[in-house]
Amino acid sequence: MEKRHQNKVVVITGGAAGIGRAFAQRVAQEGANVVIVDRIPADEVVDEITKENGKAVAHACDVGDPEAVRQLGVTILEGFGRCDVLVNNAGIFPSCRFEDLSYEQWRQMITVNLDSMFLMAKQFVPGMRQRKWGRVVNMTSNSYAQVAPGLTHYIASKAGVIGFTRALASELGADGITVNAIAPGFTRTPGTLARKPNFNGMTSEQLFEAHANRQAIPRPSEPKDLAGALSFLMSDDAAFMTAQTLYVDGGQVRSG
Ligand SMILES: NC(=O)c1ccc[n+]([C@@H]2O[C@H](COP(=O)([O-])OP(=O)(O)OC[C@H]3O[C@@H](n4cnc5c(N)ncnc54)[C@H](O)[C@@H]3O)[C@@H](O)[C@H]2O)c1
């Protein structure tokens, strides 16, 4: 594979599993120095990458914890000197009917899915500004445009991601930094496979099929389907593209 990301330092949150893992594998193949940040161990991904002569390390961190993220930022900047690309991918998606949703569950969702992006960006954007180059890629969801019941807290967090992306892009564009979002559809990952049946009693497998049938490309979404979009957004080919949300969902969302 072409080494178009040779020596870029790429920090990927939630890189131990699912989409983040596919991101880590892809950009490592393209020459990046990958820093995986996850609350669970990522040794397996790091081993896979290093066995193929790629470069990866892992740091344990809860990205919703301000002090843990501050310490993580210090460690990464001491170790690598910089972060060229920040991929804010870690997220949670437990569904819950609105009447049953507690304030604590709401806060937890916003903390992990949105506050974490603010906290991570605070660590690495100043260095990107100094070097006049940087990429921030934030994970939102096509469910923002395909709203389903039981996801008020999730959709609110992912709408916040789109707003944060646009606003941060507006502040950073003059300094060579782009900020974009990727919106996947329902994708086969450990997170979606572990979910409980939804309100209609549909299992994850049934939902993969139902989503596929609504897509222009009628097959279930896999984590590696998202990786090309990340690689593009990190590249110089995407240097004039910022503040955008890319729907990478087999054409499920077909209007703004
Ligand atoms: N899979 C889908 O269908 C889908 C669809 C749209 C958007 N997304 C978004 O894509 C991203 C990845 O989803 P996925 O399906 O790969 O999830 P996943 O559950 O399979 O993997 C998520 C990873 O993030 C880590 N993580 C979660 N909370 C964390 C925290 N507080 N601190 C550090 N690490 C944490 C987990 O340990 C895990 O390794 C999420 O932001 C999700 O909302 C997923």
Side-chain angles (χ1 to χ4, degrees), residues 13-20 37-40 61-64 88-93 108 112-113 117 139-143 154 158 182-192 208:
T13 69
I19 296 169
V37 175
D38 207 299
R39 61 180 177 184
I40 63 167
C61 179
D62 175 348
V63 293
N88 280 317
N89 164 78
I92 53 172
F93 33 84
Q108 174 70 358
V112 177
N113 288 11
M117 298 195 180
M139 292 304 279
T140 181
S141 167
N142 84 341
S143 56
Y154 182 69
K158 293 304 188 184
I182 295 176
F186 195 60
T187 303
R188 196 186 297 272
T189 66
T192 51
F208 291 132

Side-chain angles (χ1 to χ4, degrees), residues 4-5 8 132-137 169 172-180 229-244 246:
R4 67 171 169 171
H5 299 311
K8 280 178 193 151
K132 304 278 183 213
W133 199 95
R135 297 280 187 271
V136 181
V137 180
L172 305 183
D175 284 323
I177 304 163
T178 68
V179 187
N180 290 290
L230 171 68
S231 178
F232 166 66
L233 290 174
M234 284 170 48
S235 75
D236 286 332
D237 287 338
F240 200 54
M241 181 171 175
T242 195
Q244 302 305 307
L246 255 67

Side-chain angles (χ1 to χ4, degrees), residues 8-62:
K8 280 178 193 151
V9 178
V10 182
V11 176
I12 303 177
T13 69
I19 296 169
R21 183 175 181 145
F23 282 168
Q25 288 163 328
R26 170 67 183 260
V27 300
Q29 283 168 2
E30 294 176 301
N33 274 320
V34 177
V35 183
I36 295 171
V37 175
D38 207 299
R39 61 180 177 184
I40 63 167
D43 307 345
E44 220 179 87
V45 201
V46 170
D47 286 351
E48 273 171 22
I49 290 173
T50 47
K51 267 188 201 133
E52 290 177 11
N53 299 322
K55 290 163 281 185
V57 296
H59 289 288
C61 179
D62 175 348

